[in-house]
Amino acid sequence: LEFPVSQSVIQYDFKDNRRKLDDLENGLREITDNPNIQIKRMDIHGYASPEGGTAFNLKLSESRANALKEYLIKRYNYSSGIYNVNFSGEDWNKLIELVDESNMPDKDQILSIISNGTPEERKANIKKFQNGVPYRQMLKELYPQIRRVTLTVYYTKEVIVD
């Protein structure tokens, strides 16, 4: 699921969230309705894009992860011990992946900037590079993909052989 900048409330009509939530509901219903399948664990992971303060982004990624956990708790009767909530703050690895896959001009230099220095130095250097033109492109095209929460469901399926 994706989030607007600086927000952690799940919005159904934001980006492709409605489809993703429908897919989630259908998948969990399929698992729950099958008596041969038992959910073992749900890993929820929150992320933030690297604009704003590092400490704020860490709390924001935690809030995003907890928002999905609360969403699931309200809709399903799974044991509370099934949820494993994690958060990473700023997802520099995802940004590296997105820049690498993009057709951005000077992407090798941008990747070098992203890979060196403290998070605050990286942010400042990205904003200064080429008068901020690549930064504004990343802010518009790449950063929204980083503001997210993910869910991985682990389950076992009993196979009956006659």
Side-chain angles (χ1 to χ4, degrees), residues 71-83:
Y71 174 90
L72 293 168
I73 286 172
K74 287 179 184 175
R75 284 161 181 74
Y76 303 97
N77 292 322
Y78 303 128
S79 162
S80 62
I82 208 165
Y83 300 102

Side-chain angles (χ1 to χ4, degrees), residues 17-157:
N17 282 353
R18 180 164 305 281
R19 182 196 58 78
K20 291 173 184 175
L21 288 166
D22 287 346
D23 289 349
L24 171 63
E25 185 174 323
N26 291 334
L28 289 177
R29 186 179 321 111
E30 190 175 312
I31 290 170
T32 303
D33 289 349
N34 187 331
N36 297 324
I37 296 177
Q38 181 181 14
I39 295 178
K40 295 295 186 184
R41 186 175 86 226
M42 290 190 183
D43 286 354
I44 300 169
H45 203 116
Y47 301 92
S49 55
E51 71 236 78
T54 303
F56 172 80
N57 286 332
L58 184 62
K59 289 184 185 285
L60 181 60
S61 67
E62 180 182 18
S63 295
R64 288 173 175 168
N66 284 321
L68 181 56
K69 178 183 175 184
E70 293 305 315
Y71 174 90
L72 293 168
I73 286 172
K74 287 179 184 175
R75 284 161 181 74
Y76 303 97
N77 292 322
Y78 303 128
S79 162
S80 62
I82 208 165
Y83 300 102
N84 181 32
V85 176
N86 294 292
F87 49 95
S88 298
E90 299 165 351
D91 193 355
W92 291 97
N93 291 331
K94 183 68 171 179
L95 182 58
I96 289 169
E97 175 188 318
L98 293 171
V99 169
D100 191 45
E101 293 171 353
S102 76
N103 336 343
M104 291 183 70
D106 304 312
K107 77 176 178 181
D108 289 337
Q109 291 164 295
I110 295 166
L111 288 169
S112 177
I113 292 170
I114 293 170
S115 300
N116 293 295
T118 68
E120 298 309 321
E121 291 170 336
R122 294 175 194 177
K123 292 175 199 180
N125 290 334
I126 291 169
K127 288 178 184 177
K128 286 190 285 189
F129 181 69
Q130 300 283 350
N131 295 316
V133 173
Y135 172 74
R136 287 189 295 279
Q137 180 182 357
M138 291 165 50
L139 196 59
K140 181 180 176 188
E141 297 172 11
L142 304 183
Y143 282 22
Q145 298 174 63
I146 300 171
R147 302 177 199 122
R148 71 197 192 288
V149 64
T150 63
L151 172 68
T152 306
V153 179
Y154 296 90
Y155 61 91
T156 57
K157 182 176 182 180

